[in-house]
Amino acid sequence: QMCEKFTVCQNSMEMLLHNNLNLPKVTEEDGDLLTFLSFQDKCLRKISSGLYTFQTYLKYIQETFISENQNVESLSFSTEHLARTLRQMVINPEEVIIPDAATQESLHTKLKSTKAWREKITIHLILRDFTSFMEKTVRAVRYLKNTRSFSV
């Protein structure tokens, strides 16, 4: 929808040049998602922490992309619920990094200072990286569901 409505597409040079958002990612260092039996707790901590971090970005999208407010609100609620659920599965839930209010406010202020002509690119980058993060999260949760006796 972003590409069609605002002509903000993945191959946009401008988008690539300004991607300094530092969005959460699940990487190979977090454990190979296909064989992470020994990395399960580390992977769950990383995913839960990432989901909590994405909350600030989703709040920014909700405030900026008004036409999709209800969809983003639902997405944000579901993301927070998944973050809480995965955090409860971690051996030491206190190790899950949840950004404090000051960190969230600082990031939110930085995002809001984005010039209007870059808003759409910023939203696109956030949604693209969130989608990638969620694809890896789904694979990890499916793997855990098949190797552990729990339900998510």
Side-chain angles (χ1 to χ4, degrees), residues 16-146:
L16 297 175
L17 291 173
H18 296 291
N19 187 2
N20 59 355
L21 295 174
N22 196 26
L23 294 158
K25 295 186 182 349
V26 176
T27 63
E28 288 182 23
E29 295 87 44
D30 302 315
D32 180 346
L33 293 179
L34 299 176
T35 59
F36 70 51
L37 202 51
S38 63
F39 299 103
Q40 288 180 3
D41 198 63
K42 178 181 177 183
C43 189
L44 286 174
R45 272 195 321 269
K46 175 73 175 201
I47 291 170
S48 185
S49 296
L51 293 171
Y52 279 113
T53 300
F54 265 112
Q55 287 300 113
T56 305
Y57 291 99
L58 293 174
K59 178 182 175 188
Y60 166 75
I61 292 173
Q62 187 175 353
E63 293 172 354
T64 308
F65 198 18
I66 305 298
S67 65
E68 295 297 324
N69 185 294
Q70 196 168 20
N71 290 333
V72 180
E73 184 178 10
S74 175
L75 179 65
S76 183
F77 177 79
S78 299
T79 300
E80 185 176 359
H81 178 72
L82 180 59
R84 276 195 317 269
T85 301
L86 294 178
R87 182 174 185 250
Q88 291 171 355
M89 296 168 56
V90 173
I91 294 170
N92 293 316
E94 304 80 37
E95 293 179 357
V96 171
I97 298 167
I98 302 173
D100 60 26
T103 302
Q104 289 177 10
E105 186 58 36
S106 172
L107 175 58
H108 190 259
T109 301
K110 178 184 171 189
L111 289 169
K112 290 300 269 182
S113 71
T114 302
K115 300 211 181 315
W117 60 274
R118 286 190 50 209
E119 274 183 352
K120 293 167 183 65
I121 292 170
T122 301
I123 291 171
H124 181 78
L125 289 170
I126 293 168
L127 291 174
R128 183 195 66 188
D129 284 14
F130 181 74
T131 300
S132 175
F133 191 90
M134 288 307 297
E135 287 169 352
K136 292 173 182 164
T137 297
V138 167
R139 283 196 315 229
V141 170
R142 279 188 186 146
Y143 181 80
L144 278 173
K145 198 170 183 178
N146 290 331

